[in-house]
Amino acid sequence: MLHRGAQPTVITPIKLAGRQARSGGPRLGPKPTSEAGRGRDLSQICWELRTRGKFSGLANGAGVSEAYVTLATNDGYAIGALVLGHSLRSNNTTKDLCVMITPSVSVAIRSMLEGVFSKVVVVDVLDSGDSAHLSLMKRPELGVTFTKLHCWTLTDYSKCVFLDADMLCVQNPDELFSHSELTAVCDIGWPDCFNSGMFVFTPSHDTYTRLLQHAETSGSFDGGDQGLLNTFFTNWQRVSFVFNMVASATYTYLPAYKQYGGDAKLVHFLGSMKPWQHRYDRNSGSVDIPHGYHHLAPYLNSWWALYMKLVQPGVPDMEVKECLQTVDKEEHIEMCDSIPVFIEEVKAEPSVHIPERDDTVESEGKDRDASMASGGSELTTPAESELQEVAHQLSDLTVREESLEEGKARWERGEPDYLGRDSFENIKAYIDSKLENGQ
Ligand SMILES: O=c1ccn([C@@H]2O[C@H](COP(=O)(O)OP(=O)(O)O[C@H]3O[C@H](CO)[C@@H](O)[C@H](O)[C@H]3O)[C@@H](O)[C@H]2O)c(=O)[nH]1
Ligand SMILES: [Mn+2]
């Protein structure tokens, strides 16, 4: 990625999905490879994407636009971003969703990202003329770090919350936007530092430039963005751990998890093993939890449940599936040995809430026209219909009364209901009750 020489690669928009192209509106050109494309800056491109995108914060009439921003430099992290985006929408966020990607993300996955995110912005740190490139030449190890820093150039937004692509939203975290730059959560390794998986920031070209200068002069003490950002934003403000709950921490301090874990809003799969790298058994609907990862089981299962319902159906049969591991029942799956008992004493409540979609936002797009032209309902676009269908399936899962015996038998048949009675909330409630009883 860092060895393309002096190619005039710039931050470029991706081609919009066919729906927008068919709508008759002006089309964005292809990725600029000539001089013509070099003059366009990111804010201009974002403006174009916003005014033509499917979702738009401005369309809500707020006058200002706030967004969650994430980053993916390959298909694995892009799958993470898709699940994150769905989990935010499922929890009824009122904010825009923006994802920054690099050209190495496959075209098929880009198109899926367009279905979930208001803006898909292609960034390339190899821009031959800008300061990021100059700094990179001196400090090539900061490549991905610089890609993350591009979020400060999203100046169409008045305020943003950056989220790592390896995070999952389990409750609405929109209150984060009442905080100012830089707000974050303590790192679990060195709590004087903040963890850079989630931070509230204000896009600004000036801040971006100063960050690059800081990177060049001071570098990053850990080689990544966290080490850089912590020495730049020394007066950061702390918010609760529930806004960046590192999943592994639940294991190290179980009583605190018992006390506060139910308030978690954003779960972070920090570390080398990401959710999409775990093995998943399609038949049993459970994740193969490796030794040492059992405490992550409820979150991994929630992540995979969301992935299987809302993302996997759209993933094409292509190389991207290599970054996901699914297995058939015949293969040996080592289950978390304590999970099957959770089927007892659980309440039926979904862990994933499919929102009523905001018609005001949707009406900005031309999807409605396409839907009506094809005989669809006046009030639903194809995407909305799809979501409503999923919502129905989910509600079917949860309204059905099931006896304890039936639930147990279903589990033993290898058919856990991770979106219903075997959901994360219910599993956690079970853990809580056991802890309360001192078991
Ligand atoms: O090849 C990569 C690597 C990272 N990312 C993006 O950068 C984020 C950070 O990387 P990640 O693998 O999630 O790092 P963590 O395991 O979370 O480790 C910590 O250390 C990183 C480097 O300082 C910080 O970026 C993280 O926020 C911090 O939690 C990811 O979520 C992605 O959004 C990519 O797109 N491609
Ligand atoms: Mn992370």
Side-chain angles (χ1 to χ4, degrees):
M1 184 173 111
L2 300 177
H3 305 291
R4 288 203 204 154
Q7 283 185 14
T9 315
V10 293
I11 298 166
T12 57
I14 63 171
K15 186 174 168 294
L16 289 176
R19 271 205 295 267
Q20 277 106 354
R22 279 198 308 275
S23 72
R27 297 178 62 160
L28 286 179
K31 178 179 173 180
T33 52
S34 65
E35 289 296 318
R38 298 177 71 178
R40 306 170 74 209
D41 67 13
L42 184 60
S43 59
Q44 173 64 25
I45 290 160
C46 285
W47 171 258
E48 290 178 20
L49 282 169
R50 188 183 63 207
T51 52
R52 294 163 200 199
K54 190 171 161 191
F55 303 98
S56 168
L58 286 182
N60 290 324
V64 289
S65 190
E66 299 177 333
Y68 291 100
V69 178
T70 190
L71 164 70
T73 66
N74 55 47
D75 281 348
Y77 279 98
I79 291 288
L82 280 166
V83 173
L84 170 65
H86 276 297
S87 71
L88 285 162
R89 293 213 182 276
S90 295
N91 282 287
N92 298 315
T93 180
T94 61
K95 309 300 175 185
D96 253 23
L97 301 185
C98 173
V99 59
M100 304 186 295
I101 61 170
T102 54
S104 45
V105 173
S106 68
V107 172
I109 296 298
R110 287 186 199 189
S111 141
M112 288 184 72
L113 288 166
E114 287 169 2
V116 181
F117 289 82
S118 335
K119 292 187 186 63
V120 181
V121 182
V122 179
V123 295
D124 191 333
V125 293
L126 292 176
D127 185 357
S128 62
D130 71 14
S131 48
H133 178 78
L134 295 176
S135 300
L136 263 180
M137 292 301 97
K138 292 175 193 163
R139 302 191 66 90
E141 79 279 9
L142 295 177
V144 172
T145 292
F146 279 164
T147 313
K148 201 173 196 177
L149 298 187
H150 268 124
C151 68
W152 265 275
T153 67
L154 299 168
T155 51
D156 271 1
Y157 293 118
S158 57
K159 191 184 286 182
C160 296
V161 171
F162 183 89
L163 298 176
D164 268 8
D166 60 342
M167 295 182 84
L168 179 73
C169 174
V170 292
Q171 287 187 65
N172 188 312
D174 285 357
E175 64 190 271
L176 279 171
F177 287 85
S178 65
H179 296 273
S180 54
E181 179 171 281
L182 187 291
T183 296
V185 167
C186 292
D187 185 70
I188 56 165
W190 194 263
D192 287 342
C193 292
F194 61 84
N195 179 273
S196 62
M198 185 289 291
F199 54 87
V200 183
F201 70 100
T202 306
S204 152
H205 286 292
D206 177 57
T207 308
Y208 176 66
T209 305
R210 288 191 293 114
L211 272 166
L212 294 180
Q213 285 164 356
H214 181 66
E216 209 174 321
T217 53
S218 306
S220 163
F221 67 76
D222 65 3
D225 55 277
Q226 188 161 307
L228 176 76
L229 292 172
N230 268 278
T231 53
F232 187 83
F233 292 104
T234 48
N235 291 320
W236 63 282
Q237 294 128 50
R238 182 186 78 86
V239 282
S240 166
F241 193 57
V242 300
F243 291 105
N244 182 356
M245 194 186 81
V246 175
S248 50
T250 62
Y251 182 62
T252 54
Y253 196 178
L254 200 57
Y257 174 60
K258 178 201 157 199
Q259 178 74 14
Y260 305 114
D263 297 332
K265 298 181 193 312
L266 292 159
V267 176
H268 189 176
F269 296 95
L270 183 149
S272 55
M273 188 88 166
K274 300 306 181 191
W276 54 91
Q277 293 169 324
H278 288 267
R279 286 154 59 90
Y280 177 81
D281 184 340
R282 288 176 195 278
N283 296 312
S284 71
S286 60
V287 180
D288 178 15
I289 310 291
H291 185 68
Y293 283 82
H294 285 194
H295 50 285
L296 297 187
Y299 307 107
L300 284 171
N301 283 323
S302 287
W303 189 97
W304 271 91
L306 194 50
Y307 169 77
M308 292 302 284
K309 279 282 177 196
L310 298 177
V311 178
Q312 198 269 349
V315 176
D317 284 325
M318 48 180 283
E319 68 275 8
V320 69
K321 286 204 168 153
E322 286 173 15
C323 65
L324 297 158
Q325 297 195 44
T326 52
V327 294
D328 294 325
K329 203 170 188 176
E330 295 76 51
E331 292 185 46
H332 175 67
I333 302 294
E334 195 172 297
M335 288 277 296
C336 170
D337 52 15
S338 58
I339 278 195
V341 298
F342 294 158
I343 193 68
E344 297 171 3
E345 302 173 24
V346 295
K347 292 176 295 179
E349 219 174 83
S351 64
V352 178
H353 303 281
I354 302 300
E356 293 292 321
R357 297 292 288 278
D358 184 340
D359 284 344
T360 325
V361 175
E362 285 295 317
S363 66
E364 278 295 294
K366 303 294 187 219
D367 296 15
R368 187 176 313 277
D369 301 343
S371 170
M372 290 174 73
S374 62
S377 152
E378 188 180 337
L379 292 174
T380 53
T381 65
E384 282 171 335
S385 305
E386 206 174 300
L387 247 127
Q388 281 170 4
E389 175 59 23
V390 174
H392 272 119
Q393 287 172 11
L394 287 176
S395 59
D396 278 356
L397 285 171
T398 56
V399 293
R400 202 181 341 108
E401 289 290 333
E402 184 182 55
S403 71
L404 268 182
E405 290 69 32
E406 283 171 340
K408 204 165 187 172
R410 183 175 42 71
W411 184 287
E412 282 162 4
R413 285 198 308 274
E415 298 166 8
D417 171 16
Y418 281 117
L419 295 179
R421 74 183 294 165
D422 311 331
S423 69
F424 162 63
E425 279 87 355
N426 292 337
I427 290 170
K428 190 185 159 297
Y430 178 82
I431 296 172
D432 288 349
S433 73
K434 290 290 170 194
L435 283 169
E436 271 158 25
N437 296 334
Q439 294 176 26

